[in-house]
């Protein structure tokens, strides 16, 4: 860092994304991408849109908002498309961080980074020892709540009734439900945005819709919250979703059956792989997401990570003490999971 950097930014420890190494081919199970390519219609739409890249994109992303609104069952003024859902989280911290935030003590690492960046007071609410969230800890918080459902990296989901209790008991503040993984088998709170004007649901096309590289996410909320967040967007990056991504997103909404079939295939591989890992002696959380979170009494989290890496298999290991014995393994295709399981069997043997 240079001597010129703001003293306030010096203290911020940036988010460290999972590796995207180019040195060799890996079985890449470390950043929760979809193993499946975008649908042909999405590729075609992206290519067509690329022909107009000399022009600015629509800053209101109107057609994309309309497609999203129809898919989510809300009106177009209840959707804000963003440059990956990390961007809507950033906007939400800017717009609602002044109230202070509450986050689970084990969750998506970006929340803590954004809190530091925007100098938002952060209260960490402990998970239970089994990593589940006790929703009663989240009632009447008196501050902005930020919860991933399913949570990351545990994969555990709260039932919708408990999410609703949290939202209903915090009417003085905004509740952000990060649904990055909801398409893999949890209940979505999107319909509650019509009932509660303090609820912001965030979605991403990075995991379930094979568009991680295109950067596309959504905020879904009451028209009032969306107006707030749109003002933040227009004050930071009015053209936040580029033309190719807007076109790809519209086409992806048109191909929902393809993506939902992919999500079901991933969920089936997840459950099959979890069962096999349990047979091998792993403790595996009941993940509703497109990843598994597992530890083994016979091999440390760091060692398993390294030995898989030597065999060309990348998973995600977090060194924070309470989860250092675990690895987070993205669920890929059946063949990828077979390669992963065989490598694990070898390492244990
Ligand atoms: C991956 C992820 C995101 C962000 O995804 P984008 O690629 O920025 O859309 C947000 N929240 C959680 C919990 C995630 O795992």
């Amino acid at each position: 860092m240079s001597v010129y950097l703001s003293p306030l930014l010096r203290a911020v420890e940036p988010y460290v994304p999972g590796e995207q190494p180019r040195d060799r081919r890996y079985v890449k199970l470390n950043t929760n991408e979809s193993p499946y390519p975008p649908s042909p219609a999405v590729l075609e739409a992206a290519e067509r849109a690329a022909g107009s890249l000399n022009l600015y994109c629509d800053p209101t992303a109107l057609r994309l908002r309309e497609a999203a609104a129809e898919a989510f069952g809300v009106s177009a003024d209840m959707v804000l498309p963003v440059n990956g859902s990390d961007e809507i989280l950033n906007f939400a911290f800017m717009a609602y961080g002044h109230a202070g935030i509450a986050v689970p003590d084990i969750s998506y690492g970006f929340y803590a980074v954004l809190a530091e960046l925007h100098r938002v007071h952060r209260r960490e609410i402990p998970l239970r020892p089994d990593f589940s969230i006790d929703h009663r800890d989240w009632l009447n918080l008196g501050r902005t709540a930020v919860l991933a459902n399913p949570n990351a990296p545990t994969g555990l989901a709260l039932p919708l009734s408990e999410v609703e209790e949290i939202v209903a008991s915090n009417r003085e503040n905004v509740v952000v439900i990060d649904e990055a993984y909801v398409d893999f088998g949890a209940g979505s709170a999107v319909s509650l945005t019509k009932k509660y004007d303090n609820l912001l649901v965030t979605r991403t096309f990075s995991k379930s819709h094979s568009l991680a590289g295109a950067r596309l996410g959504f905020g879904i909320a009451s028209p009032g919250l969306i107006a707030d967040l749109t003002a933040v967007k227009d004050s930071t990056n009015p053209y936040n979703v580029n033309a190719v991504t807007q076109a790809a997103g519209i086409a992806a909404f048109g191909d929902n059956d393809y993506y939902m079939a992919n999500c079901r295939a991933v969920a089936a591989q997840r459950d099959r792989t979890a069962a096999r890992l349990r047979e091998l002696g792993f403790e595996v959380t009941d993940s509703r997401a497109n990843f598994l979170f597992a530890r083994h009494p016979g091999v440390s989290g760091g060692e398993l990570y390294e030995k898989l890496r030597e065999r060309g298999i990348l998973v995600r290991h977090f060194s924070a003490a309470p989860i250092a014995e675990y690895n987070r393994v993205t669920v890929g295709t059946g063949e990828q999971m077979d390669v992963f399981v065989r490598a694990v069997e070898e390492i244990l043997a």
Side-chain angles (χ1 to χ4, degrees), residues 32 83-87 89 108 111 148 152 178 180-181 204-207 212 215-217:
N32 297 345
N83 192 322
S85 60
D86 288 338
E87 189 178 49
L89 297 171
Y108 184 40
Y111 305 148
D178 178 347
Y181 299 104
T204 175
F205 270 15
S206 294
K207 281 75 187 230
R215 314 303 301 130
L216 183 60

Side-chain angles (χ1 to χ4, degrees), residues 21-28 311-313:
R22 311 286 180 204
D23 60 322
R24 61 176 275 193
R25 276 177 80 79
Y26 287 93
V27 177
K28 204 170 165 303
R311 288 169 172 76
I313 300 166

Side-chain angles (χ1 to χ4, degrees), residues 15 31-32 82-89 107-111 147-153 178-181 202-207 211-213 215-218 290-291 328:
Y15 180 71
T31 50
N32 297 345
V82 285
N83 192 322
S85 60
D86 288 338
E87 189 178 49
I88 193 85
L89 297 171
S107 194
Y108 184 40
F110 221 91
Y111 305 148
L147 261 180
N149 194 41
N151 195 14
D178 178 347
E179 294 190 349
Y181 299 104
T202 69
R203 289 288 192 93
T204 175
F205 270 15
S206 294
K207 281 75 187 230
L211 284 177
R215 314 303 301 130
L216 183 60
F218 300 92
N290 68 338
F291 55 81
R328 190 195 70 189

Side-chain angles (χ1 to χ4, degrees), residues 130-158:
D130 67 357
F131 298 137
S132 62
I133 287 171
D134 186 341
H135 79 288
R136 291 165 301 186
D137 295 339
W138 290 77
L139 307 179
N140 307 305
L141 289 168
R143 51 175 60 221
T144 301
V146 182
L147 261 180
N149 194 41
N151 195 14
T154 65
L156 299 179
L158 278 178

Side-chain angles (χ1 to χ4, degrees), residues 100-104 121-125 138 141 143-147:
I101 60 154
V103 291
H121 184 266
R122 177 171 100 250
R123 179 168 139 209
E124 293 192 344
I125 301 183
W138 290 77
L141 289 168
R143 51 175 60 221
T144 301
V146 182
L147 261 180

